[in-house]
Amino acid sequence: MTESEPRDENGTSDGNTETHDPVATLIEKICTTDFDTWYRERQFVQNIREGQPYFNGPSPCRDPRYHTPNKLNQCHRKIYYDRLNAPEEQPEPEGLFWFGTKFEEELAMEYLEDTVKPHRYVRNSIWLDFTIETETDNLRFRGETDPVVVDKDGVPYLPTEVKTTEVDNLTKPKKRHLAQVHAYLYGLSQEYDREFTAAVLLYTHRKTFSFTPFEVEFDSEFWRNTVVEWAETQTQYRQDEILPPADPELEWECEYCDYKHRCGEGNTNYENGGVRGFLPLFAEYPRDKVEEYLEVYSDVGAKLTPTLAHHYPDLANRFEVDDWQCEACETTQQWDSVDWNGNVDRPPLCPQCEKDGIPAPLSGPAPTESAFEREAFQ
């Protein structure tokens, strides 16, 4: 009796004498495919399909007078870094974004529609673009609301703002969310030539689905002295190109900030870093963030640090790399001419200083205050 030939999952012989296990093949495919890469590509394609390719990369640097409601009244330094597209140090919290979007689209909308029947309806969002005059400048606010209760003609009646959270027993809305809602109320009043004075903030716990609503009344003093004043101050920092102080609303926010190491709140020795470039001995930048930043700004001077070139050698084949620098003797070394194992806690030593018996560590250029990002969009 001859040994039977291997067959594929349809029972057809493949003519190969090597054993073929279709289950093992499927397992290997599932286990070796990078989900993160697959998901990013999926989002990339979806943005193009929906006519929003501008989401496939950093947002263009906006005029310093422009503000978006969901960025209001946060840490000035964080927003300064964000608006000028400093490289982010953490991956996108895609799971949180996905959950928040799905909850709003599939549950919050349905809940609101069932609740406001029979004479009211729900519109998923309204785009707002309005300008306010201040003593120092004209400020422009642009953004999209969450679901809005409307009448049968689609005219807004009551705006809502949906937030998902992991905080139990909320007793009051967060100030930044109040600022966001006030911007929407003010903008709706300008757009529809009627006064909108009330909104609802809906907080939902991500794990338990516990639901905490807050009624928000428009407070003209809060709008002027808190929201508009914050926007004026952020605009002034941007126009003067001055790095703002770090002033988070809550201390724990620094731990989750995309710029905590650049700012000086991480476990590194950096502080008060400028906008332009990567931290020289920091290897924790997510690969997609590094690639995205370089694809946009390499034409205006952005380069890999030697540290990132060691960490992502394939990117070093595509983009320019800065030289190692020695602060002691002020010499430079090509990034790949120095033997180093990539341990950022033990940077390579300067060959020139070693000859003189001085153990001087090498580093890369530090981030600068100059924001070439602005130049790229002028």
Side-chain angles (χ1 to χ4, degrees):
M1 180 181 296
T2 59
E3 186 177 350
S4 60
E5 292 183 340
R7 298 178 181 274
D8 62 19
E9 51 261 63
N10 297 317
T12 304
S13 172
D14 60 8
N16 192 337
T17 58
E18 185 177 334
T19 302
H20 175 68
D21 184 346
V23 173
T25 300
L26 291 175
I27 292 174
E28 183 181 5
K29 283 185 177 180
I30 293 170
C31 293
T32 59
T33 299
D34 185 341
F35 178 82
D36 291 341
T37 301
W38 173 86
Y39 184 79
R40 286 196 300 272
E41 180 63 22
R42 175 181 181 273
Q43 292 299 100
F44 189 95
V45 173
Q46 185 172 335
N47 288 334
I48 294 177
R49 183 187 302 133
E50 295 176 357
Q52 300 171 326
Y54 41 81
F55 287 151
N56 292 331
S59 300
C61 293
R62 296 175 176 84
D63 187 301
R65 296 167 296 180
Y66 285 22
H67 299 275
T68 53
N70 66 348
K71 301 288 186 181
L72 293 170
N73 286 83
Q74 299 186 40
C75 171
H76 273 298
R77 182 175 293 184
K78 172 187 174 183
I79 299 304
Y80 185 88
Y81 283 145
D82 175 79
R83 297 288 85 175
L84 293 175
N85 290 337
E88 296 178 17
E89 300 163 4
Q90 301 188 62
E92 295 286 359
E94 298 288 5
L96 299 185
F97 292 159
W98 184 87
F99 180 87
T101 300
K102 288 296 182 182
F103 178 84
E104 180 182 326
E105 293 177 349
E106 299 183 9
L107 290 181
M109 280 285 294
E110 186 174 346
Y111 163 77
L112 289 169
E113 287 171 340
D114 288 344
T115 302
V116 302
K117 288 177 179 177
H119 304 299
R120 302 294 177 188
Y121 305 87
V122 181
R123 182 172 167 179
N124 62 359
S125 64
I126 294 177
W127 175 258
L128 295 173
D129 186 343
F130 62 95
T131 301
I132 64 171
E133 296 182 4
T134 71
E135 293 182 0
T136 58
D137 216 327
N138 291 337
L139 303 180
R140 187 174 179 182
F141 295 79
R142 305 176 69 193
E144 193 172 32
T145 71
D146 274 358
V148 179
V149 179
V150 298
D151 63 19
K152 61 182 179 61
D153 297 316
V155 177
Y157 187 75
L158 177 70
T160 71
E161 181 63 30
V162 180
K163 299 294 184 185
T164 57
T165 180
E166 290 188 355
V167 178
D168 290 308
N169 303 318
L170 281 170
T171 58
K172 61 180 181 180
K174 295 181 180 180
K175 186 166 69 173
R176 67 183 59 175
H177 298 156
L178 287 175
Q180 185 176 354
V181 169
H182 272 68
Y184 292 144
L185 287 169
Y186 189 93
L188 287 168
S189 297
Q190 301 301 304
E191 180 72 20
Y192 290 91
D193 197 25
R194 53 158 289 200
E195 191 173 7
F196 287 83
T197 60
V200 176
L201 251 171
L202 305 171
Y203 286 97
T204 299
H205 198 285
R206 296 189 191 100
K207 294 181 180 178
T208 65
F209 273 19
S210 60
F211 199 69
T212 308
F214 292 98
E215 180 182 354
V216 178
E217 292 289 335
F218 185 82
D219 182 338
S220 57
E221 184 176 347
F222 177 83
W223 170 247
R224 287 194 311 273
N225 297 339
T226 301
V227 185
V228 175
E229 183 177 308
W230 183 95
E232 284 184 289
T233 302
Q234 177 67 204
T235 291
Q236 199 64 52
Y237 285 131
R238 292 276 309 280
Q239 290 176 333
D240 295 342
E241 299 187 16
I242 295 175
L243 184 67
D247 58 350
E249 181 180 347
L250 301 170
E251 290 185 6
W252 58 262
E253 294 179 51
C254 292
E255 177 63 26
Y256 300 96
C257 179
D258 287 326
Y259 312 101
K260 66 179 181 180
H261 294 282
R262 181 178 297 262
C263 178
E265 295 296 328
N267 57 0
T268 58
N269 295 322
Y270 303 106
E271 61 179 356
N272 303 325
V275 173
R276 173 178 177 169
F278 300 100
L279 299 174
L281 287 171
F282 186 74
E284 297 178 25
Y285 289 107
R287 187 188 188 285
D288 61 309
K289 295 293 185 181
V290 174
E291 186 174 18
E292 181 180 90
Y293 186 80
L294 292 172
E295 284 178 344
V296 175
Y297 299 123
S298 60
D299 289 343
V300 287
K303 299 180 182 180
L304 283 166
T305 62
T307 301
L308 290 175
H310 278 277
H311 200 59
Y312 301 119
D314 61 312
L315 294 183
N317 294 326
R318 294 172 49 198
F319 301 101
E320 291 188 60
V321 183
D322 272 313
D323 291 335
W324 288 111
Q325 297 179 357
C326 176
E327 294 184 5
C329 68
E330 298 184 350
T331 61
T332 61
Q333 307 286 334
Q334 288 188 337
W335 77 272
D336 55 355
S337 67
V338 177
D339 187 25
W340 182 49
N341 63 6
N343 183 353
V344 296
D345 294 325
R346 300 186 66 180
L349 299 179
C350 172
Q352 184 63 42
C353 289
E354 274 194 301
K355 293 179 182 178
D356 300 329
I358 303 173
L362 293 173
S363 184
T368 65
E369 293 292 339
S370 174
F372 56 45
E373 292 89 341
R374 284 193 290 275
E375 302 165 9
F377 291 97
Q378 290 178 348

